[in-house]
């Protein structure tokens, strides 16, 4: 892979750039707002950009899709920060966890930690909004939403079940 | 209550209501006027700051249509405007950006200070002003307008250019220099004796340094306390915090503006991002009020005699700014065209020159009109000059032929960052 250089632009964001094998110099500015600028440097004046393409977030996603890069991890990273204080997390249900095989309502997750299971991924298939009688099975991936602290508590609860309940002090901000 | 008293009360209430009506109508008309000016400025691709100043001149003492009722309100709005301008400036940069700019651009920052503070300072002394007033004029000529320059760079698609990090780091250092300059001037303006003054300055600058350090190191913790998912809560918290800290800073004679600047620095991450969006519109409203107020305070007749002087100072300091950008970009390994772009980009002066001039309006009557005329010239001329850098470069050097090899400049590799 080409060597990518990073430069911070105070008050604007970050610039990443690299030279293509054919000698063109390309760059991307990631603005704090999430907007990106695709830069093609001028061959005659290598300090300046010959072409600047403004990309809103959707445009960046579309371009990345076209170029074959996986946007999934970035999308997740962004979601973690952006949903107003809430975090989305992916919890793999381990066979040793006390919750495996239990219906969701028996874990007491919602009542004790405020964390909701918004979807379960089982064998590559996504089950959206599982109801409270839905049984979690080992190997499931539970998609949960809650505050960062509550998710920590939720993991403890799902692992240890009843024993953890006393240890968990619900803390709301 | 007897009948007579009741009639008095009713009369007072009627007067009060009439006064409020006048103030509302006058303020409304003035703000609508400003909005029309802002529209014109946006259409022309310019900053509205000079137009606000001109509007103030027309409405002020000896102007075309003097205001009668609402000057007090505008004055109060102007104070908030200064605070919010500085708060948003602090919000603009993160602690890491400040320290990396300090490391990367220190030499350029010193050159900038030496080349651009000196002409204003010398001009002040030549005019027979006190050293303090001359220092303030030096501040006016020193500080470029980061908001105008950031906008021009964006409009001209130059944010990705290699000279841009150099330009931005100079702006960051100027803003940091303000953090020392403002409290220094605030103390000097009090006019204490040598010893008492020195003690006050030491206290002021130490306070700023300590708060700056805490803000940079503990910004995350402060941001977490302030953070909230509701925009309303966040707006009230930040605005209240800014006013409170500004007030405390003023009480400690460090200058309210610096208190607000430090609050802005202390906020980081997603809180800073949200606060920028929430406080931005408030800042626009109150900053417009501030520029208007500065114009109002200047007697139109005092502006004409200082025009030639302002023009001369503008020409000299445009050249010194261009020299600053030229050398700083040269040190960063930028070629001729980029060096010219960097130089011309830095010329614009604006909001903070007005803020500095506003501080010393009482010490030297000619400071405010001279600075206003100076900012009028360079807030309009600077962006135009930045646009002219391309033809200017063509004049000095015909557009070079394409080359294949691309020199690597001061950017750092990603691997060493993490």
């Amino acid at each position: 892979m080409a060597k990518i250089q990073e430069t911070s632009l105070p008050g604007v964001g970050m610039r990443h750039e690299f030279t293509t094998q054919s000698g063109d110099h390309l760059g991307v500015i990631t603005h704090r707002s999430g907007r990106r600028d695709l830069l093609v440097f001028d061959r005659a004046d290598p300090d300046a950009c010959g072409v600047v393409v403004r990309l809103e977030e959707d445009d960046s996603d579309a371009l990345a899709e076209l170029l074959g890069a996986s946007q999934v991890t970035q999308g997740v990273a962004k979601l973690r920060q952006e949903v107003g204080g809430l975090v989305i997390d992916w919890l793999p249900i381990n066979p040793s966890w006390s919750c495996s095989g239990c219906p969701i309502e028996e874990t007491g997750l919602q009542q004790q930690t405020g964390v909701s299971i918004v979807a379960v991924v089982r064998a590559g298939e996504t089950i959206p909004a599982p109801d409270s009688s839905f049984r979690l099975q080992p190997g499931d991936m539970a998609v949960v939403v809650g505050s960062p602290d509550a998710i920590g508590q939720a993991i403890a609860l799902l692992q240890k079940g009843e024993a953890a309940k006393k240890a968990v002090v619900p803390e709301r901000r | 209550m007897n009948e007579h008293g009741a009639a008095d009360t009713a009369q007072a209430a009627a007067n009060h209501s009439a006064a409020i009506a006048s103030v509302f109508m006058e303020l409304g008309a003035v703000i609508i006027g400003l909005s029309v000016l802002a529209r014109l400025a946006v259409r022309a691709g310019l900053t509205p700051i000079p137009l606000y100043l001109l509007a103030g001149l027309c409405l002020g003492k000896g102007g075309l249509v003097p205001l009668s009722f609402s000057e007090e309100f505008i004055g109060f709005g102007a104070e908030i405007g200064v605070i919010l301008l500085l708060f948003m400036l602090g919000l603009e940069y993160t602690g890491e950006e400040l320290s990396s700019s300090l490391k990367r651009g220190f030499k350029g920052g010193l050159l900038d200070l030496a080349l651009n503070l000196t002409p204003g300072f010398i001009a002040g002394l030549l005019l027979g002003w006190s050293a303090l007033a001359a220092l303030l004029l030096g501040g006016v000529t020193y500080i470029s307008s980061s908001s105008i320059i950031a906008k021009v760079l964006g409009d001209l698609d130059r944010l990705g250019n290699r000279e841009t990090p150099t330009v931005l780091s100079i702006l960051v250092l100027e803003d940091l220099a303000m953090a020392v300059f403002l409290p220094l001037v605030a103390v000097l303006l009090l006019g204490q004796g040598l010893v008492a003054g020195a003690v006050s300055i030491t206290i002021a600058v130490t306070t700023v340094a300590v708060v700056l350090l805490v803000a940079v190191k503990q910004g995350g913790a402060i941001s977490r306390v302030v953070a909230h998912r509701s925009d309303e809560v966040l707006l009230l918290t930040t605005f209240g915090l800014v006013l409170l800290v500004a007030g405390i800073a003023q009480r400690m004679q460090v200058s309210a503006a610096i208190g607000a600047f430090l609050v802005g620095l202390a906020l980081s991450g997603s809180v800073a991002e949200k606060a920028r969006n929430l406080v931005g519109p408030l800042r626009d409203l109150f900053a417009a009020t501030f520029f208007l107020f500065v114009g109002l305070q200047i007697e139109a007749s005092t502006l004409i005699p200082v025009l030639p002087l302002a023009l001369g100072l503008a020409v000299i300091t445009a050249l010194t700014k261009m020299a600053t950008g030229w050398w700083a970009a040269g040190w960063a390994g930028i070629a001729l065209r980029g060096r010219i772009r960097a130089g011309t980009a830095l010329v614009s002066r604006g909001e903070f020159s007005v803020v500095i001039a506003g501080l010393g309006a009482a010490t030297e009557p000619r400071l405010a009109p001279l600075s206003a005329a100076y900012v009028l010239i360079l807030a309009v001329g600077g962006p135009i000059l930045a646009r002219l850098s391309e033809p200017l470069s063509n004049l000095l050097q015909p557009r070079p032929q394409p080359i294949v090899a691309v020199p690597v400049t001061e950017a750092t590799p990603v691997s060493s960052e993490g």
Side-chain angles (χ1 to χ4, degrees):
Chain A
M1 205 172 91
K3 196 170 114 189
I4 298 177
Q5 295 191 311
E6 181 182 79
T7 313
S8 122
L9 300 176
V12 178
M14 274 290 176
R15 185 180 75 197
H16 293 93
E17 55 186 308
F18 69 99
T19 309
T20 63
Q21 293 184 4
S22 60
D24 275 312
H25 206 73
L26 297 183
V28 171
I29 298 179
T30 309
H31 290 254
R32 285 171 174 174
S33 61
R35 193 188 99 192
R36 286 183 194 164
D37 290 344
L38 180 64
L39 317 168
V40 183
F41 285 82
D42 195 336
R43 281 200 169 196
D45 177 4
D47 295 327
C49 298
V51 180
V52 177
V53 184
R54 247 152 242 212
L55 299 172
E56 296 305 327
E57 287 186 55
D58 283 355
D59 308 329
S60 309
D61 290 351
L63 184 62
E65 195 70 28
L66 288 179
L67 294 175
S70 167
Q71 279 290 87
V72 174
T73 45
Q74 281 187 29
V76 171
K78 214 173 86 38
L79 269 175
R80 287 188 68 112
Q81 290 167 1
E82 281 197 356
V83 191
L86 290 182
V87 165
I88 296 181
D89 218 335
W90 273 246
L91 305 182
I93 304 298
N94 195 294
S96 66
W97 287 17
S98 68
C99 70
S100 69
C102 282
I104 291 174
E105 60 186 345
E106 273 184 37
T107 63
L109 194 65
Q110 174 79 57
Q111 298 85 339
Q112 289 180 41
T113 65
V115 170
S116 308
I117 298 184
V118 292
V120 173
V121 182
R122 177 174 292 172
E125 196 188 330
T126 307
I127 302 148
D131 60 32
S132 57
S133 61
F134 184 91
R135 281 177 187 276
L136 295 171
Q137 287 178 8
D140 283 355
M141 184 77 86
V143 183
V144 297
V145 174
S147 73
D149 287 356
I151 284 187
Q153 295 163 12
I155 294 171
L157 187 66
L158 291 177
Q159 275 177 339
K160 300 193 189 106
E162 290 296 317
K165 281 183 192 171
K166 293 187 186 71
V168 172
V169 184
E171 187 189 338
R172 296 284 170 83
R173 295 193 169 197
Chain B
M1 197 178 281
N2 62 31
E3 222 168 80
H4 184 68
D8 266 2
T9 318
Q11 182 61 40
N15 284 345
H16 181 63
S17 142
I20 285 184
S22 318
V23 169
F24 279 179
M25 285 190 296
E26 213 174 72
L27 273 182
V30 167
I31 292 174
I32 289 173
L34 293 182
S35 80
V36 172
L37 294 177
R39 258 167 217 262
L40 290 175
V42 169
R43 178 163 300 174
L46 293 171
T47 164
I49 297 172
L51 296 182
Y52 294 156
L53 283 172
L54 281 177
L57 279 169
C58 294
L59 297 172
K61 300 164 197 155
L64 302 174
V65 204
L67 282 186
S68 42
F69 305 104
S70 44
E71 197 165 325
E72 211 179 305
F73 288 85
I74 294 177
F76 187 65
E79 298 280 345
I80 295 182
V82 175
I83 287 172
L84 290 184
L85 273 170
L86 264 295
F87 169 64
M88 293 289 284
L89 185 70
L91 215 49
E92 201 61 31
Y93 307 118
T94 61
E96 296 110 69
E97 285 174 349
L98 287 178
S99 43
S100 77
S101 294
L102 205 55
K103 278 179 216 134
R104 188 172 60 194
F106 191 68
K107 209 164 124 193
L110 274 186
L111 179 77
D112 181 33
L113 185 69
L115 281 183
N116 296 292
L117 190 108
T118 321
F121 185 65
I122 292 177
L125 292 181
L126 288 179
L127 286 167
W129 294 3
S130 69
L132 176 57
L135 183 66
L136 285 167
L137 188 60
V140 170
T141 58
Y142 163 58
I143 193 146
S144 294
S145 165
S146 38
S147 72
I148 295 179
I149 293 170
K151 184 166 184 310
V152 167
L153 291 178
D155 286 352
L156 296 180
D157 278 343
R158 287 192 190 161
L159 285 174
N161 286 12
R162 283 181 202 280
E163 75 276 4
T164 298
T166 307
V167 172
L168 293 178
S169 71
I170 286 181
L171 294 180
V172 175
L173 289 181
E174 285 184 2
D175 299 337
L176 259 186
M178 282 280 276
V180 179
F181 187 80
L182 283 182
L184 188 79
V185 166
V187 168
L188 290 177
L189 280 170
L190 289 173
Q192 296 158 316
L194 199 62
V195 177
V199 170
S200 301
I201 287 173
T202 315
I203 292 174
V205 173
T206 313
T207 314
V208 168
V210 168
V211 177
L212 202 60
L213 203 68
V214 171
V216 170
K217 299 270 178 221
Q218 299 296 323
I222 299 168
S223 301
R224 273 194 293 282
V225 174
V226 174
H228 198 277
R229 63 178 175 280
S230 153
D231 284 353
E232 188 180 353
V233 173
L234 191 61
L235 176 65
L236 292 176
T237 316
T238 29
F239 190 53
L241 195 63
V242 169
L243 287 186
L244 184 68
V245 174
I248 293 172
Q250 183 82 23
R251 175 67 56 84
M252 291 173 68
Q253 296 167 353
V254 189
S255 124
I258 278 311
F261 178 71
L262 294 173
V263 175
L265 272 185
L267 297 182
S268 60
S270 63
V271 176
E273 184 63 45
K274 270 185 157 183
R276 254 197 293 278
N277 294 334
L278 291 172
V279 183
L282 270 185
R283 188 265 323 257
D284 292 342
L285 174 64
F286 286 108
T289 315
F290 166 67
F291 297 123
L292 180 81
F293 186 70
V294 170
L296 282 177
Q297 296 305 103
I298 297 169
E299 223 166 299
S301 58
T302 59
L303 197 70
I304 316 290
V306 296
L307 267 181
L309 190 61
L311 192 64
L313 201 56
V315 170
I316 293 171
T317 56
L319 290 173
T320 52
K321 269 291 175 193
M322 285 166 72
T324 307
W326 168 266
W327 271 313
W331 290 332
I334 309 291
L336 180 126
R337 306 177 78 87
R339 295 173 78 177
I340 293 176
R341 279 193 299 268
T344 51
L346 282 169
V347 170
S348 303
R349 313 293 207 282
E351 62 278 25
F352 296 107
S353 298
V354 183
V355 169
I356 293 175
L359 286 177
T363 37
E364 174 54 56
R366 277 173 298 171
L367 180 63
L370 178 60
S371 308
Y374 175 80
V375 170
L376 283 179
I377 296 166
L378 284 184
V380 177
I384 295 175
L385 203 59
R387 284 179 167 80
L388 286 180
S389 68
E390 205 58 13
L392 203 66
S393 320
N394 289 336
L395 215 66
L396 285 172
Q397 182 197 50
R399 206 173 153 72
Q401 289 305 303
I403 46 169
V404 177
V406 176
V408 170
T409 48
E410 33 88 64
T412 46
V414 170
S415 51
S416 74
E417 288 286 307

